[in-house]
Amino acid sequence: MVSGDAPQAEGSVRVDVWIWSVRLTKTRAQAAAACRAGHVKVGGERAKPAQAVRVGDEVRLRHAGRDRVVVVSKIVKKRVGPPVAVECFVDNSPPPPPREIAIQVPVRDRGAGRPTKRDRREMERLQGHPQGHRPSRSVEA
């Protein structure tokens, strides 16, 4: 393999290095942590940071609350600029959800303390839960 910034057509590289090189994560440490946490799959199997990735492999990455599905088209060893990075993979990711549909978390004023039973019932009513029915909480014995 030839080292350098230019994309190469053959060979392999570590999956964490490749994810960082094509700008799917901001840092290589984030890429390695995602691999260790099981958020990266190569060919449908969980990938360790040092697993080799080759041209044609499908890489699935869960990062920043979004699933990315990319097919490797070029191998790069070092971080490249955005125009070159786009040429290194084919993005088959589902489109991100619109901001209006994104999960909205109720926000309480700072220092307001724990919600009262009345506050809780009000929040459940606003979230659309049926009256008198709380979402079940799984408690393991």
Side-chain angles (χ1 to χ4, degrees), residues 109-129:
D109 293 331
R110 187 174 175 97
R114 183 174 172 175
T116 63
K117 188 181 282 190
R118 181 179 178 184
D119 292 340
R120 179 185 52 81
R121 288 180 179 155
E122 223 171 88
M123 285 189 288
E124 287 177 358
R125 184 180 51 79
L126 290 172
Q127 291 175 354
H129 296 295

Side-chain angles (χ1 to χ4, degrees), residues 14-85:
R14 291 172 55 117
V15 69
D16 63 338
V17 172
W18 187 82
I19 288 171
W20 167 73
S21 297
V22 297
R23 298 177 171 266
L24 294 177
T25 60
K26 286 187 178 184
T27 65
R28 182 168 171 202
Q30 284 180 342
C35 291
R36 284 192 300 273
H39 299 299
V40 177
K41 294 182 180 183
V42 177
E45 299 290 326
R46 283 180 62 172
K48 292 184 178 180
Q51 181 172 337
V53 69
R54 299 179 188 345
V55 173
D57 285 348
E58 180 187 70
V59 178
R60 292 178 173 267
L61 168 69
R62 175 110 178 125
H63 180 68
R66 182 172 177 220
D67 288 326
R68 300 291 304 264
V69 181
V70 296
V71 177
V72 180
S73 60
K74 293 181 184 174
I75 298 294
V76 289
K77 285 183 166 182
K78 296 194 176 185
R79 193 163 172 95
V80 293
V84 178

